[in-house]
Amino acid sequence: MDVVLEVCDQFLFDYMYQLVLPARLAPSGLTSQTFANGTSMSTWQYKPATEYLHMTPSQAAYGSLWARDNMWRQGVSLFLILWIFGFLVYFVFASLSYLFIFDKKTFEHPKFLKNQIWLEIKQANEAMPIMALCTAPLLVAEVRGYGFLYDTLDEAPWPWWNWFQIPLFLFFTDFGIYWIHRGLHHPWVYKHLHKPHHKWIMPTPFASHAFHPLDGYAQSLPYHIFPFLFPLQKVAYVALFVFINFWTIMIHDGEYIANNPIINGAACHSIHHLAFNYNYGQYFTLWDRIGGSYRAPEQEMFQKEVKMSEEHWKKEVEVMEQIQLEVEGEDDREYEPEMETKKRQ
């Protein structure tokens, strides 16, 4: 993440910290600022985060009491990056998915909640700053060199590692998320942490990040732990971070493209929201199959006219309500008025 941090420092944070925490004037010709007693306040000198990108710092880079290598500055900056960048990725791409992929007929589903999209966005945006605050210390440790991130492809432990690291990352994180996610469904934990995400029986793309903040943080841990255990190329790390967010949106978009027995796509994840205790995996069905929690999508889910029919919805609701009663007890969700009328009849 030091590559992203350097770009943000260059174009935003150098000026922000110079304004908020300006440095005292340094003697002519010195790039590091000094205290009045002459002791050095910062020995920071520019070193590119990656050989693939070189940006000469502006004078603002030397204009703050907190130099770029200050741990507290790094923590604040990474918190803001996680929060703001996370919000932009979430809102922009969830909006695009909603506009061009999500089937608006879902609004008519009997389990679609009243004001659901607004509630999803509200919950996601309440969670993001807390998730960012919890995650920032891990990124600070990574930026300060405590992990196994490497820069150029030649620095890989073996030439083949540059390709092997990608599937290893996906399988490692999928394994970790499976067990964390399954643990979040334990009755002692579910009602306190994971139930807010299961409020959405028929999720939209905006539900992708609508978690309790500690739930979202817990499920993100495998991503951030990986580079402390295995070598990972810096740019690949950033690309995978973006991919993870895209994937999370995609599995909540309700568009079932293909019934792949290996990939845990939107169809598998929709079953998780409807049937609760199945399909905990993030990318693959492997750990669900091993753990006995895999439930294959029915073929009719891939026939759009069938899956959006009232007959299919009625069948879904009957199964869902039985499982929901076992898992949660009384249903405290507030559905659209039409459903409320049916429930009273």
Side-chain angles (χ1 to χ4, degrees):
M1 200 60 71
D2 56 351
V3 178
V4 176
L5 182 59
E6 181 178 324
V7 173
C8 292
D9 276 334
Q10 181 77 9
F11 295 104
L12 175 62
F13 292 140
D14 285 343
Y15 302 96
M16 183 182 82
Y17 289 110
Q18 183 184 42
L19 179 64
V20 177
L21 290 170
R24 298 174 184 178
L25 292 176
S28 177
L30 295 182
T31 57
S32 61
Q33 288 70 47
T34 59
F35 287 116
N37 63 8
T39 59
S40 175
M41 184 192 77
S42 172
T43 58
W44 177 77
Q45 293 182 347
Y46 175 66
K47 181 181 178 182
T50 173
E51 289 191 15
Y52 301 116
L53 181 66
H54 187 284
M55 297 181 294
T56 302
S58 68
Q59 192 60 38
Y62 307 99
S64 173
L65 287 171
W66 280 5
R68 286 190 184 181
D69 62 351
N70 181 283
M71 183 178 68
W72 296 106
R73 167 172 166 162
Q74 290 172 338
V76 172
S77 299
L78 289 165
F79 162 72
L80 292 173
I81 289 169
L82 285 168
W83 183 9
I84 297 170
F85 179 71
F87 169 78
L88 290 174
V89 170
Y90 161 73
F91 192 75
V92 170
F93 290 97
S95 296
L96 291 173
S97 178
Y98 171 77
L99 289 172
F100 298 108
I101 299 176
F102 179 72
D103 193 332
K104 311 305 184 293
K105 186 174 172 59
T106 306
F107 296 154
E108 301 173 19
H109 194 284
K111 290 299 180 179
F112 196 83
L113 303 187
K114 183 178 180 180
N115 300 321
Q116 179 169 317
I117 292 178
W118 163 248
L119 291 172
E120 289 171 339
I121 295 172
K122 180 174 180 288
Q123 184 169 303
N125 282 279
E126 288 175 349
M128 282 182 183
I130 302 173
M131 291 165 60
L133 186 64
C134 293
T135 306
L138 291 170
L139 296 189
V140 170
E142 169 247 297
V143 164
R144 296 183 74 83
Y146 290 99
F148 294 103
L149 290 171
Y150 64 92
D151 185 19
T152 66
L153 300 181
D154 292 336
E155 296 174 12
W158 304 280
W160 51 266
W161 185 266
N162 290 310
W163 303 104
F164 181 71
Q165 64 181 328
I166 304 300
L168 178 63
F169 178 90
L170 294 176
F171 277 97
F172 175 86
T173 53
D174 193 56
F175 170 78
I177 292 170
Y178 173 82
W179 289 107
I180 292 169
H181 192 178
R182 186 162 185 164
L184 286 163
H185 276 260
H186 189 283
W188 293 352
V189 180
Y190 175 83
K191 64 180 180 180
H192 300 294
L193 293 183
H194 197 51
K195 186 178 178 181
H197 187 63
H198 273 274
K199 185 174 185 177
W200 330 113
I201 302 299
M202 295 299 297
T204 78
F206 294 106
S208 58
H209 293 65
F211 292 96
H212 184 289
L214 296 183
D215 176 3
Y217 169 68
Q219 294 198 59
S220 74
L221 279 174
Y223 309 136
H224 303 297
I225 290 173
F226 183 90
F228 291 98
L229 300 177
F230 304 98
L232 183 62
Q233 202 275 330
K234 290 181 178 181
V235 177
Y237 182 42
V238 176
L240 287 166
F241 182 80
V242 175
F243 166 76
I244 289 160
N245 283 275
F246 285 175
W247 183 266
T248 304
I249 292 169
M250 288 168 58
I251 61 175
H252 290 87
D253 63 17
E255 186 66 20
Y256 313 148
I257 298 174
N259 189 5
N260 190 304
I262 297 173
I263 303 299
N264 183 40
C268 284
H269 197 69
S270 70
I271 290 174
H272 179 71
H273 277 265
L274 282 162
F276 296 85
N277 293 331
Y278 299 91
N279 300 351
Y280 299 110
Q282 182 77 349
Y283 312 116
F284 309 113
T285 62
L286 173 64
W287 302 111
D288 279 298
R289 292 177 183 276
I290 293 173
S293 55
Y294 177 64
R295 182 168 177 175
E298 298 174 356
Q299 192 58 42
E300 61 187 30
M301 294 179 69
F302 300 91
Q303 301 168 7
K304 196 157 191 173
E305 291 185 2
V306 175
K307 79 163 186 172
M308 301 304 285
S309 66
E310 290 191 7
E311 181 180 352
H312 181 72
W313 288 348
K314 183 178 179 181
K315 177 182 172 183
E316 280 184 336
V317 168
E318 288 176 355
V319 175
M320 171 263 159
E321 288 183 338
Q322 181 180 356
I323 299 174
Q324 180 270 322
L325 186 63
E326 296 173 359
V327 173
E328 297 181 342
E330 184 178 354
D331 190 354
D332 58 1
R333 297 169 181 80
E334 185 177 356
Y335 298 100
E336 289 289 359
E338 292 83 0
M339 184 58 186
E340 291 297 316
T341 301
K342 291 178 182 178
K343 287 171 70 175
R344 288 193 293 267
Q345 290 177 348

